[in-house]
Amino acid sequence: MTAAASPSNSTATDQRALSVLKSVWGYDAFRGVQADIVRTVADGGNALVLMPTGGGKSLCYQVPSLLRPGVGIVVSPLIALMKDQVDALRQVGVRAAFLNSTLSPEGVREVEAALVAGELDLLYVAPERLLLSRTLDLLARAPVALFAIDEAHCVSQWGHDFRPEYGQLGVLPERFPHLPRVALTATADERTREDILHVLGLHGAPQFVSSFDRPNIQYRVANKEGPKTQLLDFIRAEHGAGTGGGDAGIVYCLSRKSVEETAKWLQTQGVDAVPYHAGLSPRERNMAQDRFLNEEGLIVVATVAFGMGIDKPNVRFVAHLDLPKSMEGYYQETGRAGRDGLPSTAWMVYGLSDVVNVKRMLDQSAAPPDVKRVEAAKLDALLTYCEAATCRRQVLLTYFGETLEEPCGNCDVCLSPPRVRDATREAQMALSAAVRTGNRFGSAHLTDVLLGRDTEKVRAMGHHQLPTFGVGRGHDEKTWRGLLRQLVSLGYLAAGEHHGLMATPKSRALLKGETTFQMREEALAPRAERRERSARQGRAPVDAHDRPLFEALRQWRLGRAREQGVPPYVIFTDATLKTIAELRPGSLNTLGSVGGVGGRKLEAYGAEVLEVVRGQAGSRQPSAVSRQPTVAERGTAGNAAVLGVLRGGGQISPAVTTASAIKTAPAEREASPTPLFSPHATGDKPQASSNPEVAATLRELRRELSRETGHSAFVIFPNATLEALAARQPRTLDELRGLPGMGEKRIEAYGERIVDAVLTALDG
Ligand code: ADP
Ligand code: ZN
């Protein structure tokens, strides 16, 4: 195959790619730019891929590796992840292996022999191993399909993740100029991109950049009031903590001490939580990480040391109890939630003293001035985000150079817009309190002065005689603290020594009345009401109605994972189990239509899954499972036949692939249309305000649209929008306008179908 692909050739490649995607991985469609990347690389071209975490980078090189003759060589610095990745590939019948320092000399020899004999489809290699002349010589003798350079930003000295070995990967274009190279990363700034192109010899190669939006993540930021209790309320109400079926999540704290304390406190509250920070022994850290990967509902309380190389797709929430240092840090950390595309939450609380602390730390750091300036700008961007009264996702994406034209409908600001009011006069009062007390007192003292409190300190300083004394009595302490925090966050006040606040040059115009100050009022709803609201929002990814079956499937999955010594999500992802729980398939045929159930997995687990589904329906006991041999027991030769056919080139109809892959039930597979949705799938919990019939029909419509477009359901429209629709029951396009998340683009794309669905539900 050559780089210049004729149109007809491309079509053929596309068809073969789709057929591999369906038969091996069980997915119906590529996401976004995946299809273009796969075509380019499979046809022998180079590519640079910039995609956010969870975007689906792996398939971009895995599918082309199966389409091209030879083995795909994947260079990755994350040795700890290689075993999981190889396990996951073997589960779908791909012949995968890795070469790194964890292998015994004998293990290395085995893999090398398989490589040269052409018995591998994919080989993961650590960079230091790849650079050995022994390995390079082997590769020169072996049939190689392509080189994929994962975490390609590690070539750049500018980033935090620079790896010297990555800097030497220029050896690849030198020694193997005719083989395609695809570089992949989630870090996209211009300088890094230039370095990647330069080191890997990719100038002129097409660059594929995806949107960095993560629509399934709900961003929320709140004022810190009692952080531990706020956290507990949140994970109990929305992530099932303490119920035995809780979600996995990460809680980030700034210091080791607060990590320890928070973890301990959660444990005393009956929440399954472990600490993780650099002060623990390697053994303790490994244990925490292993438990996190291999158990279902564990919460890790950690410093930022935790996360790099965590590939767990079903992290349902990331909570920040302290402010990250930059927007980049925040986005990277929150990005660990919801790789599987299911609804997830990025939750953060912060308060005035956090803002003062991080600003002061930055100010006092020993870094050179220009580095400090850059870091200060990054922190300011984060603080602006925190104080935003507009859609959080729009602020985030704008920072990363993208535009989101409409508010997202899935962040706290969109869901319950804060009130914004002119607070110029109050801002002037607060600023003048700082100035008149000599720009050296902290927020507590300034608040006392504003409220006219006759404290000992006020008296000792003579501040009761200032004209500002008591001018702020019209507001309560919380309002003043909120205002001071916003003034610090937005740069009108700077944090000096001993927590002292001083007016900055920026405040001059405000003091003179030349500019105005808009204040964001904190959400004022009482706590109980807020909790009820979030419970109503139903953040859990599975409807209450389908929850028992979902849990039963998780239990079954855990058992199978333990037997094989792999993490549960390698067997099936939560997204796949969720669809199964909603669909309640009664046959292998229907089960095979579920995303993530490829030929090999259908063969290995299909019968058992159907038993679990039937068992839950009450007609039979799940103990009657007739167990089939596992993938591991059978070896991995099964799919080789399929791959062999595909590699031979030419057009393969999905039917052919499917038939050879799914040997257990060819007849049933061909048997025709099982209804896509069982009656169960339309069940829904009734809601006070929303019409359950309409909600169920909309949910079904959403699945249909998701299938048609290849977007995950949340991209079509989020739950909050669905519920608003079910409550409002719009009968015309015009009635759709103004509903949360219903911008013009969505109305244009799906409006008519939504109105249709509502009318049908109401008629029926
Ligand atoms: P990244 O490496 O970019 O962080 P992954 O390659 O791990 O992302 O993919 C994230 C998740 O999305 C995985 O669970 C993967 O199976 C799923 N995924 C990727 N592409 C598709 C697709 N075309 N259809 C369905 N699921 C997909
Ligand atoms: Zn929003």
Side-chain angles (χ1 to χ4, degrees):
M1 275 175 236
T2 59
S6 68
S8 60
N9 189 2
S10 296
T11 314
T13 307
D14 285 353
Q15 276 174 3
R16 293 171 60 225
L18 272 176
S19 128
V20 165
L21 183 70
K22 179 69 191 163
S23 63
V24 178
W25 279 274
Y27 296 139
D28 289 327
F30 286 108
R31 276 187 195 156
V33 286
Q34 275 180 338
D36 296 332
I37 301 165
V38 166
R39 181 187 321 114
T40 302
V41 179
D43 284 345
N46 297 329
L48 171 61
V49 176
L50 306 173
M51 231 184 235
T53 307
K57 286 185 282 297
S58 324
L59 288 177
C60 296
Y61 56 81
Q62 289 170 346
V63 173
S65 295
L66 296 192
L67 291 175
R68 293 176 59 82
V71 47
I73 306 294
V74 188
V75 187
S76 166
L78 305 173
I79 290 178
L81 280 189
M82 287 184 185
K83 185 178 170 299
D84 283 357
Q85 281 160 330
V86 165
D87 281 344
L89 284 165
R90 289 185 179 166
Q91 286 282 329
V92 294
V94 172
R95 301 171 304 170
F98 61 79
L99 270 181
N100 64 34
S101 53
T102 66
L103 284 181
S104 65
E106 194 182 321
V108 171
R109 269 194 301 277
E110 267 176 38
V111 173
E112 287 178 351
L115 167 68
V116 176
E119 289 164 0
L120 292 176
D121 301 313
L122 272 157
L123 176 65
Y124 286 76
V125 191
E128 56 277 7
R129 175 72 58 164
L130 177 87
L131 292 170
L132 297 178
S133 54
R134 171 185 171 77
T135 314
L136 290 170
D137 291 344
L138 276 175
L139 289 176
R141 279 165 39 213
V144 174
L146 57 89
F147 288 101
I149 299 92
D150 206 3
E151 312 288 346
H153 60 279
C154 294
V155 305
S156 175
Q157 306 215 23
W158 293 108
H160 298 290
D161 296 332
F162 174 60
R163 310 260 170 155
E165 304 84 26
Y166 259 65
Q168 296 171 44
L169 288 179
V171 70
L172 293 180
E174 270 167 35
R175 295 244 346 221
F176 307 95
H178 54 289
L179 287 173
R181 293 179 299 283
V182 50
L184 310 99
T185 175
T187 306
D189 73 69
E190 197 55 42
R191 219 156 28 176
T192 308
R193 205 189 297 195
E194 271 307 309
D195 284 352
I196 296 173
L197 296 177
H198 176 71
V199 172
L200 297 175
L202 292 178
H203 283 292
Q207 301 183 18
F208 299 92
V209 184
S210 321
S211 165
F212 272 65
D213 188 14
R214 301 282 311 278
N216 59 314
I217 299 183
Q218 184 177 88
Y219 296 98
R220 278 153 54 184
V221 184
N223 189 37
K224 197 185 263 190
E225 283 158 3
K228 287 193 195 126
T229 321
Q230 283 175 295
L231 174 69
L232 188 65
D233 275 0
F234 160 65
I235 56 181
R236 275 199 181 140
E238 301 182 34
H239 294 285
T243 61
D247 293 333
I250 306 175
V251 178
Y252 283 113
C253 300
L254 207 51
S255 69
R256 296 176 187 184
K257 188 163 156 270
S258 59
V259 162
E260 294 280 355
E261 282 174 8
T262 309
K264 214 171 255 140
W265 187 77
L266 286 173
Q267 287 160 5
T268 63
Q269 300 298 315
V271 176
D272 209 1
V274 290
Y276 186 105
H277 57 72
L280 298 173
S281 69
R283 215 186 114 254
E284 286 169 306
R285 268 180 291 155
N286 283 339
M287 233 161 68
Q289 176 160 338
D290 273 1
R291 279 193 62 194
F292 188 64
L293 294 180
N294 291 304
E295 293 177 17
E296 292 286 7
L298 189 69
I299 292 173
V300 174
V301 185
T303 56
V304 289
F306 184 73
M308 175 75 166
I310 295 292
D311 231 2
K312 188 180 171 83
N314 53 344
V315 177
R316 289 274 72 83
F317 68 89
V318 169
H320 281 94
L321 286 188
D322 292 303
L323 277 172
K325 289 194 184 65
S326 64
M327 278 287 247
E328 284 82 355
Y330 173 73
Y331 206 59
Q332 189 174 42
E333 284 146 36
T334 54
R336 293 179 183 133
R339 276 168 188 260
D340 55 12
L342 293 178
S344 311
T345 323
W347 181 95
M348 172 158 74
V349 288
Y350 78 113
L352 174 58
S353 57
D354 294 293
V355 180
V356 172
N357 274 338
V358 284
K359 287 229 171 194
R360 218 175 21 134
M361 265 163 52
L362 190 74
D363 228 42
Q364 294 171 353
S365 89
D370 52 335
V371 174
K372 263 164 105 161
R373 247 196 316 278
V374 172
E375 287 182 358
K378 289 182 171 184
L379 174 62
D380 284 345
L382 178 73
L383 292 173
T384 309
Y385 165 81
C386 291
E387 302 291 358
T390 54
C391 172
R392 304 246 185 237
R393 197 179 311 274
Q394 285 181 319
V395 178
L396 274 173
L397 290 176
T398 304
Y399 181 77
F400 291 108
E402 273 183 59
T403 24
L404 180 68
E405 278 167 20
E406 291 161 2
C408 73
N410 192 28
C411 73
D412 57 345
V413 175
C414 284
L415 291 168
S416 52
R419 257 189 303 165
V420 178
R421 64 178 183 89
D422 185 286
T424 309
R425 236 170 56 79
E426 288 88 342
Q428 288 168 337
M429 291 176 186
L431 290 172
S432 80
V435 174
R436 286 180 189 268
T437 54
N439 281 320
R440 61 200 179 91
F441 290 93
S443 60
H445 186 71
L446 294 181
T447 311
D448 286 342
V449 171
L450 286 161
L451 289 173
R453 286 178 179 154
D454 203 357
T455 65
E456 224 168 276
K457 192 167 169 189
V458 166
R459 206 141 266 270
M461 297 292 154
H463 290 163
H464 58 297
Q465 284 159 348
L466 293 175
T468 347
F469 184 71
V471 291
R473 284 200 181 103
H475 299 288
D476 61 4
E477 171 160 352
K478 191 170 164 234
T479 307
W480 284 114
R481 287 185 68 82
L483 178 65
L484 285 167
R485 190 200 68 223
Q486 292 181 35
L487 287 170
V488 179
S489 295
L490 302 175
Y492 294 95
L493 285 171
E497 274 177 41
H498 311 298
H499 290 241
L501 297 179
M502 53 186 156
T504 63
K506 184 178 174 183
S507 69
R508 223 169 281 147
L510 186 51
L511 275 167
K512 284 199 223 151
E514 290 164 6
T515 53
T516 60
F517 185 80
Q518 302 296 313
M519 177 176 177
R520 171 192 211 276
E521 293 195 331
E522 311 298 341
L524 292 172
R527 266 178 57 194
E529 191 183 312
R530 257 183 286 157
R531 197 176 322 170
E532 194 186 309
R533 190 190 64 210
S534 38
R536 266 207 313 272
Q537 274 165 10
R539 297 296 316 151
V542 181
D543 279 354
H545 176 271
D546 302 321
R547 182 55 83 171
L549 176 52
F550 180 73
E551 292 304 340
L553 289 164
R554 286 221 290 193
Q555 271 305 316
W556 164 83
R557 176 178 71 176
L558 192 60
R560 295 305 251 126
R562 293 246 159 96
E563 276 169 33
Q564 300 177 51
V566 297
Y569 52 81
V570 162
I571 308 277
F572 282 123
T573 63
D574 281 13
T576 300
L577 293 191
K578 175 184 182 319
T579 313
I580 296 174
E582 288 168 352
L583 203 56
R584 295 171 194 251
S587 68
L588 287 174
N589 184 15
T590 314
L591 181 60
S593 76
V594 171
V597 185
R600 167 53 67 125
K601 284 186 178 173
L602 188 67
E603 191 183 345
Y605 306 125
E608 290 177 36
V609 169
L610 292 181
E611 279 301 322
V612 177
V613 173
R614 270 197 288 271
Q616 267 292 312
S619 60
R620 231 199 275 181
Q621 295 306 307
S623 58
V625 167
S626 59
R627 198 172 154 283
Q628 297 208 340
T630 67
V631 172
E633 287 158 352
R634 247 196 302 269
T636 52
N639 257 2
V642 182
L643 302 175
V645 175
L646 287 161
R647 279 191 174 141
Q651 287 183 225
I652 308 293
S653 78
V656 174
T657 326
T658 309
S660 43
I662 301 151
K663 295 182 197 109
T664 42
E668 179 163 13
R669 195 66 209 171
E670 252 94 81
S672 72
T674 320
L676 270 181
F677 298 101
S678 74
H680 301 288
T682 58
D684 192 20
K685 49 180 185 284
Q687 269 158 19
S689 51
S690 81
N691 178 327
E693 282 293 312
V694 177
T697 312
L698 287 171
R699 222 177 282 274
E700 195 165 317
L701 170 69
R702 185 166 70 172
R703 274 185 220 128
E704 216 171 283
L705 289 170
S706 154
R707 216 176 289 248
E708 282 170 24
T709 59
H711 295 313
S712 66
F714 253 62
V715 183
I716 310 284
F717 45 77
N719 275 351
T721 303
L722 192 145
E723 277 170 26
L725 287 168
R728 181 79 68 88
Q729 300 158 28
R731 288 156 180 270
T732 64
L733 286 184
D734 222 36
E735 288 174 15
L736 286 174
R737 299 210 161 81
L739 288 174
M742 264 295 141
E744 283 308 315
K745 273 208 303 214
R746 278 206 180 106
I747 293 182
E748 193 177 308
Y750 314 124
E752 292 192 356
R753 307 254 317 247
I754 292 174
V755 169
D756 254 14
V758 171
L759 291 174
T760 314
L762 292 176
D763 286 350

